[in-house]
Amino acid sequence: MLATLTSRRFLRSALPAISLVMILLPIFYMQPRTMSYFGLNLLLNLAIPIALATMAQMFVLTVNDLDLSIGSYVSLVACIGATWLQQTPLLGVAALLACIVVYGLLGALVHVRNLPSIVVTLGMSFVWLGLAVLLLPTPGGQAPGWIRTVMTLKTPMVPFPILAALLIGVLVHFGLMRSSYGAVLRGAGGNPRAVARAGWSVLRTKVTMYVMAGIFGMLSGLSLVGLTTSADANIALRYTLLSIAGVILGGGEFVGGRVSPIGAVLGTVTLVLAGSFLSFMRISPDWQIGAQGAILIVVLALRALINRRGSTA
Amino acid sequence: MQATSERLIRLQGVAKSFGPVRALAGVDLAVDAGECLGLVGHNGAGKSTLMNVLAGTLEADAGEIVIHGERRSPYNVGLAHRLGIRCVFQELSLCPNLTVAENARIIHPKLSGWGWRKRAAGLIVAKLDEIFPGHGIRADDVVGDLSIGRRQMVEIARAFTVSDRPVHLVILDEPTSSLDSVSAEQLLSFVRKVVATGLGCILISHLLGEVLDYADCIVVMRDAKVVTSRPAREMTRDSLVAAMGDVGDERVVAERPSAVRRRDAAPIRVRVRSRRGGRHELVAHEGEVIGLAGLAGHGQTDALIQIYRSSRRRAADTVVTGPVALVPGDRQTDGIFHLWSIGQNIGIRSLKRMSRRGLIDLAQERQLAEDWKRRINIRTPDMTNNILSLSGGNQQKALFARALGSDAEIVLMDDPTRGVDVGTKLEIYEMIRTEAAKGRTFLWYTTEMEELANCDHVYVFRNGRIVADLASDQLTEAKVLQSSFEETV
């Protein structure tokens, strides 16, 4: 029993949960009122769109790529949600579908031409942002009522953000970690040659992952606009780095197809809470980004420690 | 050979080239059901290329592939899998981030739907139990956490698992290279057992004893061709070694025109005691060309790196006197700076000498480049062109110029003529010879037997140890092969 609890694998997967608890306890201690239904709702509301964006990033990271455009993509989706989807729903849906198709094509392009995904997605981030500015030059618009209804759902007992985050994590966990094609998808990140030798199309795995990223990015943008009710072309730019940090905090790695959906959700929640934690500590917002970075470094250092210990044992 | 046995595969006239290098020059091969075919040959004889063609991962340029009596064209991985051909590649082809069971699923498309994890786990564990009793591997172990030996066990067991399609032929490329002797024995007896049930098997191994004991028929490849194909019982160690080298000919490779230098007279430049023990130590004197021979990846490169390191930082087991330069063989990853000009690529090793007040003296850099362009005949109109504008052979020459243009007295060469055409090779040999005569010392790791003829002294490596120490007058191809394949058992 003790051996399992101190094994490298267990520690590695438990680390995201431990870091979450370590940030949650002081918050509860400093502000006991956050321990209520309403308090948790307020704390974690914004975690849902970030968690969805993190999932999108995780799909791309699984196949050893990096998506630097997810933030501006989410912004664009939010803008579409607040304008076309509200005024001419058909056009809005078509635009969202087109965005997902473009994501799939990007995956194919990166694979076929063997381009660095960082460059391609960095370029795309300006395209998405430009489209968003064209669509909504000044902040405004209005979210469709049904999205707002969903996002402000009052669930019994457990606040909606917690349920939603759990649902996202569990769904992706089953899709990516437990399904049989999920194994192939992750295998394509771990050893693409081996997967190709076994007769699978690596192109197909890449496109699948990028399409999934497009879908989850879209969900992220829609949920965000549901919370904020209006949109802005710059609304989600910081999601790019937050999503990468979330995946890494949750036990994912930049290369090698090692990811953990549940860990990534926990990582996202930790990052979101870190912001509130620092406010409760009366640290000025100017320092918050730096402090979030410090948290990231501490967790990564702990992970490196676990890995090293495991390899010498 | 039984008349009833069914022919599984037949390759006829299969040829494959990589650029100017001919990896397969018209190879014929046949495997029957219930037969274990042993395939041996020196590095670069074409074994791995042949197996890749058979597994469908490489497409042959010419020739036909007949499987189950039918000509297969086009032939690819998917078809190979459907026809029941499995391959255990030399470099492992498992996904390190997946569990053992998930890796089994990768090669079984039908292993999906509800409960696939349990079925995959059952499949692979049952096969592991059958081949390697007491293996100690669990289906939910992540492959990356397993030792290299256990990974190899998983890979081998996976190749024999059967879900919806039968397995007809399993290719084992160096299957025992990371297994301990007990597991190797378990594997080979398992192979005999399944071959008796009508499976075909191709066993590639550098351990001649394994091939002689366990194969029915042995095929020897040399220089991209099959040179011998005979039943195993008609072969012996010596006849195999002879077939891999020049058949029955005890030709002396080294026919050096120049007089053999008196070793003891010149001062010692390098002395290395191998970290893995062994009888011999590597000694290089001033003005000598020392060959490091043996099969690829048996510690020659490590020895070179060890020497290179200790030129910077003193180590107990290595003595190096004088500055060192390294000529890498893998140009693209270890050698050239892709975005720089030819001249800059040559000058990088001599920057200290060429800089004035912290800045590079451009006139001197140009001078050095032009100087070496002339001396070793780098074929380019302008040394300020990008290095990638050169052919592979000329890029390699530029790397030589980098080492020779520097102050290095000891030049380490890590298989530097890999993928270089014959003409350039001859120029490089000439260059080495001239520089050695001027007192430079060369340590030359090469996988090509003929190149050893240019060396004054040859050390043969096996498993990280020096197993033979041959002066140029005792050097024969047979001796090098003999010690490369010598067995510890």
Side-chain angles (χ1 to χ4, degrees), chain B residues 24 48 64 128 154 157 250 329 370 486:
Chain B
L24 293 175
S48 290
E64 64 177 45
L128 276 167
V154 172
E250 284 289 291
E370 286 305 322
E486 203 169 79

Side-chain angles (χ1 to χ4, degrees), chain A residues 73 96 136 155 190:
Chain A
Y73 174 73
L96 292 178
L136 202 63
T155 45

